[in-house]
Amino acid sequence: MSNEEEISKRRTFAIISHPDAGKTTLTEKFLLFAGAIQSAGAVKSNKIKKSTMSDFMEIERQRGISVASAVMSFEYHDLKINLLDTPGHKDFSEDTYRTLTAVDSVILIVDSVKGVEEQTENLMKVCRMRKTPVIIFVNKLDREGQSPFDLLDEIESKISIKVCPLSWPISRGATFKGVYSLHEKNLRLFTANQAVTANVVDISDLQSVALDEHVGNLLAAQLREDAALLSGVYGGFEKVQYLSGEVAPVFFGSALNNFGVKELMDTFVEIAPPPKPMAADARTIAPEEPGFSGFVFKIHANLDLRHRDRIAFFRVCSGKFERNTFYHHVRLDTNLRFSNPASFLGQKKDVIDEAFPGDVIGLYDRGNFKIGDTLTAGENFHFQGVPSFSPEIFKELINTSMKGKQLEKGIQQLTDEGVAQLFILDDGRRKVVGTVGLLQFEVIQYRLEHEYGAECRFQPLNFYKACWITSNNPTQFADFFRSKANSIGLDKDERPVFFVESEWMLHHYVKQYADIDFRLTSEIHTDPLAKMAGI
Ligand code: G4P
């Protein structure tokens, strides 16, 4: 098969949701329908229900042994689908943000009872920034949820995307009857825990009495009324608007009951995009280019203490990856080759000889990789769009043992993995660790002690956010540096970062220092949407 044909067969995506909306359930149903697993219960939930460090370490240890759940590849309708897993715990949402940089589209699950929750809003900001095509699955229709009109309104207002329902629910909860496919003009009748396909009845004309026979007069009348309203409010589905990330098609169903899942999958394979061009600092890299390239978006520590190796998850962006071939590590300006690159088929991990754009491969690493690193066939460029987002919680790292060197090495390596962000203040005398959640501090402390033999404690700091600062006005910049010397540090790539104590102060400085650009991500986006999204 030619490279072009291989590329056209790939669909690389992630399922995102707030914890408990049904991601594990839907993922499992996808794998079951595709024949990649044989029975329910095979996909392990990566939720950390009790939010304790020991639960987290246990899950990490299991995942370290079987990293297969990080990427699930399977065939469906003659396509090669790569489904990238995202962590279920909100403290690890930065890991999810980065995974979103390696996909070409997403399926967003919204719980019909709870509506759009906070974590979903943040994840969708990243999708909007990258114009990632989104399909929405409203789940748990078998429960007494909100009205579908209210849900769609909430989705549009909270995640700033236009929606276009392709199916419409007939009642919900105990009286849930099924959905009417506005797209295919048929009725899909719901039965709890049904087999793969629903009972489908063609009803091209909603005035037909067949509708009343199947769902009863009252619900038939309600559907007719809803449908009349819908066409006026949402209009027809245009694939180009979906592909540009402007409009999200919406499906309703119940993952637990297999209802609506097959339709979702079939629409996904019909409309989801193949690997897209990726922005690099020098130029945009098209997947069809002959030269190989790609980037690391996630690093997973192998928590086996006997060997401190790690797996770097690498998205192929162009050309063809081949085993045992030297590639250029742009940041280190060195050439590396990989003798055991892994791909992930279903739950099995295999050594592969080649990989194509859209594929995600696991590269065994002994400390050469940082998140965001680019490999190429020789050219010098870096992929963009693997930004760091401002942490929410900041603490100073205090060495409490004599093992300063181990502590230094440990904190450098853990932050290369993306467990947390490290900032240096006072010419290297102070180290500040920033995270999204409190759990990471416990994880870092535990891993520093057990993997590096170094002890530390954390001193809380009262910062609100870290702002990456740039300016075209050297005088104003120097003035700001002088007056804020104690609150300015460097990130790991030596970019200046200002630690601001409150949102109010941030607004104040933005006004006072008009020529300084304060950003809550490490990358400069020319896209105005990124500004709008507030990240
Ligand atoms: P997550 O990965 O997004 O965190 O969610 P997960 O799939 O684990 O689902 C969270 C809970 O919601 C699970 O119940 C699951 O069975 C349930 N669920 C998923 N889809 C549906 C649905 O369509 N209808 C209903 N009624 N429930 C659904 P749990 O009791 O928390 O877990 P478990 O003990 O069943 O594993």
Side-chain angles (χ1 to χ4, degrees):
M1 219 187 302
S2 70
N3 262 30
E4 275 74 16
E5 282 169 312
E6 293 280 5
I7 295 165
S8 69
K9 278 179 168 294
R10 262 75 179 165
R11 299 289 182 278
T12 302
F13 79 112
I15 300 178
I16 56 174
S17 69
H18 194 87
D20 274 342
K23 183 161 65 67
T24 311
T25 312
L26 188 68
T27 302
E28 183 160 278
K29 298 293 154 100
F30 270 25
L31 295 177
L32 270 171
F33 290 177
I37 55 170
Q38 307 313 322
S39 60
V43 177
K44 289 275 168 289
S45 165
N46 62 6
K47 272 182 297 183
I48 308 161
K49 291 211 162 150
K50 292 189 210 126
S51 276
T52 65
M53 199 266 301
S54 57
D55 284 353
F56 171 77
M57 290 310 293
E58 188 43 45
I59 286 169
E60 282 299 279
R61 193 165 292 120
Q62 286 169 10
R63 279 156 64 89
I65 295 162
S66 161
V67 291
S69 65
V71 187
M72 287 159 273
S73 297
F74 54 94
E75 310 240 329
Y76 188 68
H77 285 204
D78 222 16
L79 293 175
K80 184 175 176 207
I81 317 276
N82 297 312
L83 167 53
L84 274 51
D85 191 25
T86 52
H89 196 284
K90 92 169 180 5
D91 285 9
F92 294 84
S93 48
E94 185 149 3
D95 214 18
T96 306
Y97 299 154
R98 287 188 296 248
T99 298
L100 292 179
T101 64
V103 300
D104 299 303
S105 68
V106 304
I107 292 180
L108 166 68
I109 307 179
V110 174
D111 183 329
S112 69
V113 183
K114 295 189 181 146
V116 178
E117 294 164 274
E118 190 196 335
Q119 199 173 335
T120 308
E121 289 179 47
N122 291 335
L123 294 171
M124 283 303 298
K125 280 181 188 169
V126 181
C127 293
R128 273 208 311 281
M129 187 175 104
R130 302 179 57 80
K131 299 199 169 79
T132 308
V134 182
I135 299 179
I136 298 174
F137 182 70
V138 179
N139 192 27
K140 306 194 186 181
L141 262 287
D142 58 317
R143 298 185 52 196
E144 294 299 334
Q146 304 178 33
S147 119
F149 281 110
D150 288 351
L151 273 169
L152 294 189
D153 272 358
E154 189 180 320
I155 293 171
E156 287 201 326
S157 67
K158 284 201 175 159
I159 61 180
S160 310
I161 192 166
K162 282 198 203 131
V163 295
C164 178
L166 293 190
S167 71
W168 196 251
I170 302 165
S171 190
R172 53 192 184 268
T175 54
F176 181 49
K177 287 280 181 281
V179 296
Y180 181 70
S181 167
L182 300 158
H183 195 44
E184 289 167 12
K185 307 227 174 298
N186 57 34
L187 187 64
R188 289 160 192 270
L189 293 165
F190 173 75
T191 40
N193 234 331
Q194 63 190 26
V196 173
T197 24
N199 182 6
V200 182
V201 186
D202 276 328
I203 297 192
S204 49
D205 178 5
L206 275 181
Q207 302 312 320
S208 153
V209 287
L211 181 64
D212 301 71
E213 283 161 18
H214 284 286
V215 303
N217 297 356
L218 266 178
L219 293 177
Q222 181 70 53
L223 178 64
R224 289 182 188 115
E225 202 178 298
D226 287 356
L229 256 174
L230 284 171
S231 58
V233 179
Y234 297 108
F237 173 65
E238 302 276 350
K239 189 173 161 185
V240 286
Q241 292 183 315
Y242 155 71
L243 290 175
S244 61
E246 287 164 59
V247 174
V250 182
F251 291 87
F252 293 84
S254 167
L256 188 64
N257 289 291
N258 292 339
F259 188 76
V261 176
K262 179 93 173 36
E263 293 72 42
L264 175 69
M265 266 179 103
D266 289 347
T267 307
F268 170 80
V269 292
E270 193 189 318
I271 65 174
K276 60 180 179 196
M278 293 275 188
D281 48 5
R283 61 194 174 82
T284 297
I285 312 295
E288 297 78 19
E289 288 189 22
F292 160 78
S293 69
F295 64 90
V296 173
F297 64 92
K298 176 186 181 110
I299 294 178
H300 202 293
N302 187 349
L303 296 171
D304 180 346
L305 293 183
R306 281 164 302 172
H307 358 81
R308 198 181 284 153
D309 54 350
R310 314 187 287 181
I311 295 186
F313 288 88
F314 183 88
R315 149 100 194 204
V316 181
C317 296
S318 68
K320 178 174 166 183
F321 171 89
E322 286 173 297
R323 185 157 83 98
N324 277 328
T325 303
F326 277 102
Y327 292 117
H328 184 52
H329 187 309
V330 180
R331 179 177 58 85
L332 297 181
D333 191 19
T334 183
N335 292 332
L336 299 175
R337 67 175 169 176
F338 304 90
S339 51
N340 289 311
S343 81
F344 310 88
L345 193 72
Q347 296 292 287
K348 245 176 59 233
K349 186 157 56 83
D350 287 319
V351 171
I352 46 120
D353 290 318
E354 51 184 36
F356 297 91
D359 283 342
V360 169
I361 52 178
L363 303 176
Y364 288 94
D365 172 45
R366 296 236 155 177
N368 285 316
F369 285 125
K370 270 204 316 197
I371 284 173
D373 276 348
T374 299
L375 289 181
T376 69
E379 216 181 318
N380 274 323
F381 61 78
H382 283 106
F383 281 102
Q384 306 224 288
V386 193
S388 298
F389 296 85
S390 171
E392 315 266 315
I393 305 169
F394 301 85
K395 293 190 183 193
E396 186 166 345
L397 177 76
I398 316 266
N399 183 3
T400 54
S401 64
M402 301 302 286
K403 303 190 174 154
K405 270 206 182 122
Q406 277 101 312
L407 187 73
E408 175 72 29
K409 184 171 175 200
I411 196 67
Q412 291 292 345
Q413 290 202 349
L414 294 186
T415 48
D416 278 355
E417 278 172 31
V419 177
Q421 290 181 55
L422 180 65
F423 304 97
I424 306 294
L425 275 78
D426 275 349
D427 286 331
R429 281 187 290 276
R430 294 172 66 201
K431 287 191 172 58
V432 171
V433 174
T435 67
V436 179
L438 281 170
L439 190 54
Q440 277 108 321
F441 289 102
E442 285 183 62
V443 170
I444 292 170
Q445 208 163 13
Y446 178 92
R447 288 189 58 190
L448 282 173
E449 199 177 323
H450 288 83
E451 294 171 40
Y452 298 89
E455 282 172 28
C456 71
R457 70 180 171 83
F458 286 106
Q459 171 95 21
L461 295 170
N462 229 350
F463 296 142
Y464 158 68
K465 287 274 160 75
C467 307
W468 279 264
I469 44 175
T470 50
S471 178
N472 292 327
N473 179 340
T475 319
Q476 194 173 89
F477 213 33
D479 181 33
F480 185 69
F481 265 71
R482 251 191 318 276
S483 70
K484 295 279 163 264
N486 290 335
S487 313
I488 294 177
L490 296 175
D491 73 3
K492 280 189 95 176
D493 295 316
E494 306 204 336
R495 290 171 292 208
V497 171
F498 169 56
F499 299 96
V500 65
E501 53 275 51
S502 69
E503 191 176 1
W504 190 88
M505 289 308 283
L506 177 58
H507 288 302
H508 170 75
Y509 293 131
V510 167
K511 273 197 209 128
Q512 189 183 353
Y513 294 92
D515 289 346
I516 298 181
D517 207 7
F518 295 84
R519 288 183 184 260
L520 299 178
T521 71
S522 60
E523 254 181 28
I524 312 289
H525 298 279
T526 43
D527 182 353
L529 271 179
K531 272 202 156 169
M532 235 175 68
I535 50 178

